[in-house]
Amino acid sequence: MEEFPISNGMKKSFYITSPIFYPNARLHMGHAYVVTLCDILARAKKLQGVETYFSVGSDDNTGKIVKIITEKNQKVEDYLSEVSQNFKDLYSKLDISYDQFIHTSDKEKHWPGAIAMWNKLVEAGDIYKSKYSGLYCVGCETFYTEKDLVDGKCPVHLTVPETVDEENYFFRLSKYTKEIKQKIESGELSIVPNTRKNEILALLDRGLDDVSFSRPIKNVPHGIPVPGDPTQVIYVWCDALVNYISALGYGTKDDQLYTKFWPADVHVIGKDILRFHAAIWPGMLLSADLPLPKSILVHGMINSGGHKMSKSLGNVIDPNELIAEYGKEAVRYYLAREVSPFEDGDLTAEKFKEAYNAGLANGLGNLASRILTLSEKYLEKAPEIPEHSIPQEFKDLMNKFEIQKATDFVWKEIGELDKFIQDSEPFKLVKVDEEKGKEVIASMVLRLYTIARMLNPIMPETNVTLKNLIKQNKKPANPLFLRKN
Ligand code: MSP
């Protein structure tokens, strides 16, 4: 694994972004996954004393919304506030520590940034008017060519795209192909993992086409009007990508956050939106003469039983249901430990239960209970806790976005500590040699404390619970994680 700019330990601030979601009424595991990844990385940075900013948001100016509100007979604002409440409820249930929730429908916070960006592209001579005739998938909010389709359908949504014949503004993306390629090849813009870096380099080798960057307002009535041409709105992806800087106040008077945190340290995205983030967004930033983000972490898709989750297959897993049954800590644990942040992952009810019982009920929960029972019984008070005890290896893994390996590192320590109890049998030792027995128990408590500290980014509530129990020298009143049958 290569080293990333954020791991040099010199930087005092860290800006991490989640993709902004389309305003879907129902949130699925994919949404829960990406914000959890971001949250773990953000908390891991904070744990290292780095000032961190973490933004999330909602991609409101999408054409999809027209159909939805017409069917629901609802006002756009009402629909958007209902949906963003759903997002916020899920984030709060999952303990997502975001600093900013940006709405692209926010005329005060977001629109000035989008308009400022558009004007910069115009100033650079990179916007021109041209005819577009072709295909458009509103699900992807993307223009397609015949050869992209599978049996005449959008390869992602399996729906027949709309045929559009429009006069739009185009962005001269082709002009930036070489420069983007050079930034990615040199690692100045680091794309993680390498497979995704190679994928985007192959695309760049074929050359980038210019992209249609506006749509007629009659087709997309809720978008941001193109400055100087009220018949057109800014293309939703151009508008949406700007959220990463408008969240920091770019384009408004209040842009201290932008000065402090831009360029972003990492945009976390799914592999399906790589091209937008690793080609179009850098092209826009280069044209506007703004710094590029330092890295893009591209995660895979969460499938269920080897298939994409879909209503028709009946394999959709609702994060809210999992949280209700197992608790948020268990959901965060599964996403961190059982899914690689770089590849597709799989989640079924069965797999979840197995992982929960093995890693939490029998693993962490059982270990904590054994150690705390011994310490409550044999130690007068908790041992002195050293100030810094987070292993460097754990921090290094987190700084390289290796969330799964960092979590494995914690569970390796849990396994070793468990074995140490078995081998050293402190409950017997303390009866033969009280002094020595107490020493061994105290050393186990300290190791458990280090485990609790490492859990901070992964399972923040368990981190607090364990640290408190240790400090109060108390065994848990109830098992931390009840075994499920
Ligand atoms: N609005 C755009 C993003 C704009 S960012 C400037 C969008 N929204 S989305 O709601 O469709 O998807 C949001 C994120 O969820 C994407 O990163 C996507 O990769 C992710 N996922 C959607 N389904 C997923 C899974 N089944 N598994 C993991 N992530 C998935 O795209």
Side-chain angles (χ1 to χ4, degrees):
M1 207 66 193
E2 34 192 7
E3 278 292 300
F4 307 110
I6 58 159
S7 63
N8 61 17
M10 302 298 284
K11 199 161 175 279
K12 290 188 190 60
S13 73
F14 181 74
Y15 177 36
I16 180 164
T17 67
S18 145
I20 52 171
F21 300 150
Y22 290 126
N24 265 320
R26 281 197 64 184
L27 293 182
H28 53 66
M29 255 352 269
H31 297 112
Y33 182 54
V34 61
V35 290
T36 303
L37 284 191
C38 292
D39 189 58
I40 293 174
L41 295 175
R43 286 177 187 268
K45 277 287 157 187
K46 277 186 218 155
L47 192 60
Q48 296 174 65
V50 178
E51 191 178 2
T52 301
Y53 203 79
F54 166 22
S55 73
V56 299
S58 152
D59 195 351
D60 295 339
N61 306 322
T62 162
K64 298 186 226 305
I65 212 165
V66 179
K67 193 167 163 258
I68 302 173
I69 57 162
T70 318
E71 276 167 12
K72 289 186 156 234
N73 196 16
Q74 217 176 0
K75 282 219 244 71
V76 189
E77 305 81 63
D78 294 345
Y79 176 72
L80 290 176
S81 78
E82 186 185 303
V83 166
S84 62
Q85 197 50 51
N86 281 350
F87 289 165
K88 288 177 184 165
D89 288 348
L90 179 68
Y91 299 166
S92 116
K93 280 191 208 166
L94 280 169
D95 246 346
I96 304 299
S97 61
Y98 62 92
D99 298 289
Q100 168 83 256
F101 190 116
I102 184 90
H103 287 269
T104 56
S105 55
D106 189 326
K107 293 190 177 157
E108 272 170 37
K109 269 199 182 153
H110 175 71
W111 287 33
I115 289 166
M117 169 61 84
W118 182 273
N119 288 335
K120 288 241 183 188
L121 305 182
V122 173
E123 275 165 36
D126 289 335
I127 295 288
Y128 61 91
K129 217 165 190 185
S130 180
K131 279 217 176 324
Y132 180 84
S133 344
L135 304 158
Y136 193 79
C137 170
V138 81
C140 304
E141 294 287 11
T142 303
F143 298 94
Y144 277 115
T145 59
E146 284 290 348
K147 68 174 181 353
D148 299 320
L149 306 182
V150 177
D151 297 331
K153 291 180 181 160
C154 157
V156 180
H157 293 90
L158 307 179
T159 47
V160 179
E162 290 169 18
T163 304
V164 296
D165 208 349
E166 301 172 344
E167 192 178 41
N168 295 339
Y169 292 99
F170 276 67
F171 171 53
R172 231 179 273 285
L173 180 62
S174 56
K175 179 173 152 189
Y176 296 98
T177 306
K178 244 174 98 182
E179 215 176 328
I180 299 170
K181 191 170 166 223
Q182 182 271 326
K183 300 266 181 201
I184 294 177
E185 263 172 348
S186 69
E188 217 177 307
L189 167 55
S190 160
I191 312 284
V192 186
N194 263 322
T195 43
R196 299 293 162 219
K197 174 178 176 176
N198 294 338
E199 185 182 319
I200 198 75
L201 285 174
L203 185 92
L204 289 160
D205 276 341
R206 294 197 292 275
L208 296 172
D209 293 330
D210 291 351
V211 270
S212 172
F213 243 32
S214 71
R215 306 275 327 265
I217 199 160
K218 61 178 169 31
N219 297 345
V220 197
H222 306 291
I224 305 178
V226 166
D229 185 349
T231 67
Q232 294 268 318
V233 295
I234 299 176
Y235 171 47
V236 64
W237 269 101
C238 166
D239 157 359
L241 288 160
V242 174
N243 94 84
Y244 298 132
I245 51 178
S246 67
L248 302 176
Y250 173 80
T252 70
K253 280 202 208 92
D254 190 8
D255 62 357
Q256 296 99 313
L257 285 173
Y258 174 77
T259 314
K260 181 164 189 180
F261 287 104
W262 191 258
D265 292 272
V266 58
H267 293 316
V268 182
I269 59 161
K271 65 181 186 184
D272 54 330
I273 53 175
L274 174 63
R275 188 173 61 91
F276 300 98
H277 284 80
I280 298 181
W281 180 226
M284 288 166 66
L285 291 165
L286 287 171
S287 168
D289 199 20
L290 299 176
L292 264 49
K294 296 208 165 73
S295 59
I296 302 179
L297 165 60
V298 192
H299 66 77
M301 293 293 120
I302 307 236
N303 298 320
S304 187
H307 299 282
K308 193 177 165 186
M309 290 189 202
S310 80
K311 278 193 208 122
S312 53
L313 283 177
N315 63 348
V316 176
I317 297 189
D318 181 339
N320 288 301
E321 283 171 18
L322 271 187
I323 298 168
E325 190 173 349
Y326 291 92
K328 62 170 178 241
E329 298 285 283
V331 174
R332 293 177 65 109
Y333 167 75
Y334 189 94
L335 297 177
R337 179 106 197 269
E338 301 295 325
V339 184
S340 156
F342 312 128
E343 284 156 36
D344 288 354
D346 203 73
L347 168 62
T348 59
E350 224 11 72
K351 276 191 179 157
F352 194 94
K353 191 165 82 181
E354 262 171 43
Y356 171 91
N357 280 337
L360 297 180
N362 301 346
L364 174 63
N366 184 42
L367 176 79
S369 155
R370 285 174 83 182
I371 295 179
L372 290 164
T373 304
L374 282 170
S375 68
E376 187 186 295
K377 190 160 173 195
Y378 296 109
L379 304 185
E380 288 77 44
K381 61 177 178 51
E384 201 66 37
I385 312 284
E387 234 177 68
H388 301 288
S389 60
I390 299 174
Q392 192 58 42
E393 190 176 342
F394 177 80
K395 292 191 231 173
D396 289 345
L397 287 169
M398 279 295 187
N399 290 343
K400 285 192 276 183
F401 311 141
E402 292 275 10
I403 297 172
Q404 189 178 34
K405 287 197 180 140
T407 313
D408 280 343
F409 179 85
V410 182
W411 260 262
K412 195 168 137 250
E413 172 61 7
I414 290 175
E416 280 168 12
L417 190 48
D418 218 24
K419 179 147 189 326
F420 178 67
I421 304 185
Q422 273 165 37
D423 296 347
S424 60
E425 299 188 313
F427 37 91
K428 286 189 190 158
L429 184 61
V430 79
K431 286 180 188 138
V432 202
D433 180 344
E434 195 185 335
E435 204 55 26
K436 183 87 192 115
K438 282 183 175 180
E439 245 173 59
V440 170
I441 295 171
S443 77
M444 291 181 334
V445 175
L446 289 181
R447 281 175 76 176
L448 184 65
Y449 199 87
T450 299
I451 290 172
R453 273 192 169 141
M454 290 191 284
L455 287 177
N456 170 307
I458 307 161
M459 301 166 72
E461 194 182 297
T462 309
N463 152 272
V464 173
T465 310
L466 276 178
K467 286 196 310 198
N468 285 341
L469 288 169
I470 293 173
K471 284 183 187 151
Q472 295 157 7
N473 198 27
K474 268 197 161 31
K475 64 171 187 265
N478 300 303
L480 292 178
F481 301 97
L482 258 184
R483 217 195 124 76
K484 302 268 178 186
N485 295 313

